[in-house]
Structure formats: C-alpha cells, structure tokens
Amino acid sequence: MLEGQCTCGSVRFRLNQQPYDTGWRHCGVCQHVSGAGGMVFTTVAHKNFLIVKGADRIGRFASSPSGERSFCKSCGSPLTIHVRHQPDEID
C-alpha cells in the first residue's frame, strides 16, 4: 500500500496495490499541465485508487478528447488522468 498527497496536503490518496505500467510522458498536454518537459505516471486499477482526504478539493477537466485529469483546487497539483479507453485503470 502506497500513500501520497498534493503539495499542500489538502488531498490525500492511497494505492491499495503495487502500481504497474510506470513511464514518462512528454506529450504537449503533459508538458503544459506539469509546466515541465514532461511528467512521470504509473497505473493502478481504478478500484484500488482511494481518496482518503479532500475529495471536495479535487477539480477535473477534459485535457484531451480521450482523457480527464484531476488536480487539487487549493494548490493546483496535478493528481490523475483517467483515459476513456482504459475505464478500469487510473494513472
């Protein structure tokens, strides 16, 4: 089990499984969202990604036709991307 949080701590989450399919994305959308040359991601089954604090502090937006990203509304930290062609997984 792994736990994490946004920068300000308003949102906390837990992964109830070991992540898989970890990689580095450097597409234009990931560059814009991260403000960097790219961002690292890892994947878990959606059912094993749990918000343990601050569900009301999570914002969402369609970052592309194929996916929706989430972020902390307090500090702006990117949190997840959920792509439509992988409905049972979350990055």
Side-chain angles (χ1 to χ4, degrees), residues 5-41:
Q5 68 180 44
C6 64
T7 301
C8 71
S10 292
V11 177
R12 292 194 51 80
F13 57 88
R14 178 180 305 130
L15 307 180
N16 284 336
Q17 75 174 86
Q18 283 298 113
Y20 55 92
D21 191 29
T22 301
W24 175 256
R25 293 282 309 172
H26 50 80
C27 69
V29 175
C30 288
Q31 290 176 355
H32 290 136
V33 168
S34 68
M39 57 193 327
V40 174
F41 73 92

Side-chain angles (χ1 to χ4, degrees), residues 1-77:
M1 176 170 51
L2 299 170
E3 293 191 7
Q5 68 180 44
C6 64
T7 301
C8 71
S10 292
V11 177
R12 292 194 51 80
F13 57 88
R14 178 180 305 130
L15 307 180
N16 284 336
Q17 75 174 86
Q18 283 298 113
Y20 55 92
D21 191 29
T22 301
W24 175 256
R25 293 282 309 172
H26 50 80
C27 69
V29 175
C30 288
Q31 290 176 355
H32 290 136
V33 168
S34 68
M39 57 193 327
V40 174
F41 73 92
T42 196
T43 305
V44 295
H46 199 284
K47 68 181 180 182
N48 289 321
F49 177 79
L50 304 170
I51 300 298
V52 296
K53 176 186 172 191
D56 62 325
R57 300 305 315 144
I58 297 174
R60 291 179 175 77
F61 69 101
S63 59
S64 71
S66 63
E68 178 182 80
R69 293 181 187 261
S70 70
F71 63 95
C72 173
K73 292 192 281 188
S74 296
C75 66
S77 292

